[in-house]
Amino acid sequence: MPSQTLRRLAGATALMSGAVALAFSVNANAAGLIDSPKALNIYSSLLSESIAQAAPNDQAPRLAARGFMQQLEAKLKEPAEGKTSFVDYPPRANAELLRIIAVVPPKGSEHLPIPVCAEQNNKVLGTWNITAKGDVLPAAWSGSMVSAAPNSSACKDFIMASRAEITRLAQSNQPAQPPPVSEQPKPPMKQASSAAGSPAL
């Protein structure tokens, strides 16, 4: 076979390889946290440490983080169709217990970060975004940091603002990471727990 023909074949093969790699990269970027064992390992240690640092006076913050992550991963395996869902751990927490709440993006938007808020004694202890790569990044929040009432959640405003932002991004099918939540939302109506997983905030 002439050398010129060989060179053309080699060039065509390289072009096809590049196209396949690009397509794979796009699909990989659309994957979520639950799709990567490496990302799961990264986030589990980072979130556990973040919770422990945010709640130094709690007796077992790492145990609470572990229980939360078990529920989160179960929810990530079966994301809700067309709407966000919540993880609220532990169930029926009182103000004295370390409570961790997250907003789970809907099916098809698994690549979006997962907002997480921890609270105790009617105060927000910390807010984070868990990325699809497993990074646990502080989430900027300038809204309310305390409960509006003794029996309400201190994380309520952050969680509701995060849910609104994720819903907006999911509906517009944006592939980019959402910006940190920085605006204080209008107080939403109080919600009761439901089978759909909405927390009582």
Side-chain angles (χ1 to χ4, degrees):
M1 184 178 293
S3 58
Q4 187 176 2
T5 304
L6 287 173
R7 283 197 298 270
R8 287 177 179 171
L9 283 173
T13 302
L15 219 75
M16 291 176 63
S17 298
V20 171
L22 180 61
F24 178 80
S25 176
V26 170
N27 289 335
N29 289 338
L33 175 70
I34 199 67
D35 301 306
S36 170
K38 180 180 178 182
L40 288 172
N41 286 333
I42 293 172
Y43 108 94
S44 60
S45 60
L46 291 177
L47 185 62
S48 180
E49 182 63 27
S50 296
I51 296 294
Q53 290 182 5
N57 297 323
D58 190 77
Q59 294 183 350
R62 295 182 188 276
L63 185 63
R66 191 178 308 124
F68 165 78
M69 288 187 285
Q70 288 175 348
Q71 291 196 6
L72 175 62
E73 290 168 27
K75 183 79 71 171
L76 291 175
K77 290 177 181 177
E78 297 181 1
E81 188 78 44
K83 62 180 180 179
T84 58
S85 56
F86 300 91
V87 174
D88 189 2
Y89 183 88
R92 298 175 296 279
N94 57 44
E96 290 74 29
L97 287 176
L98 175 58
R99 183 182 185 186
I100 310 170
I101 309 173
V103 183
V104 180
K107 187 174 182 179
S109 298
E110 292 91 339
H111 60 285
L112 294 176
I114 302 161
V116 177
C117 182
E119 65 174 88
Q120 193 171 32
N121 295 320
N122 300 113
K123 296 179 181 179
V124 172
L125 301 180
T127 55
W128 305 271
N129 279 320
I130 306 173
T131 72
K133 295 181 179 179
D135 297 316
V136 178
L137 308 174
W141 173 241
S142 60
S144 176
M145 299 290 286
V146 297
S147 300
N151 61 345
S152 65
S153 169
C155 287
K156 178 179 180 178
D157 287 354
F158 173 80
I159 290 297
M160 291 301 136
S162 298
R163 180 180 70 169
E165 179 65 4
I166 287 180
T167 299
R168 182 187 71 79
L169 290 165
Q171 289 175 347
S172 60
N173 197 25
Q174 291 286 341
Q177 303 284 356
V181 179
S182 58
E183 296 183 1
Q184 185 172 357
K186 296 179 181 179
M189 295 179 62
K190 186 173 181 180
Q191 291 183 313
S193 297
S194 68
S198 298
L201 301 175

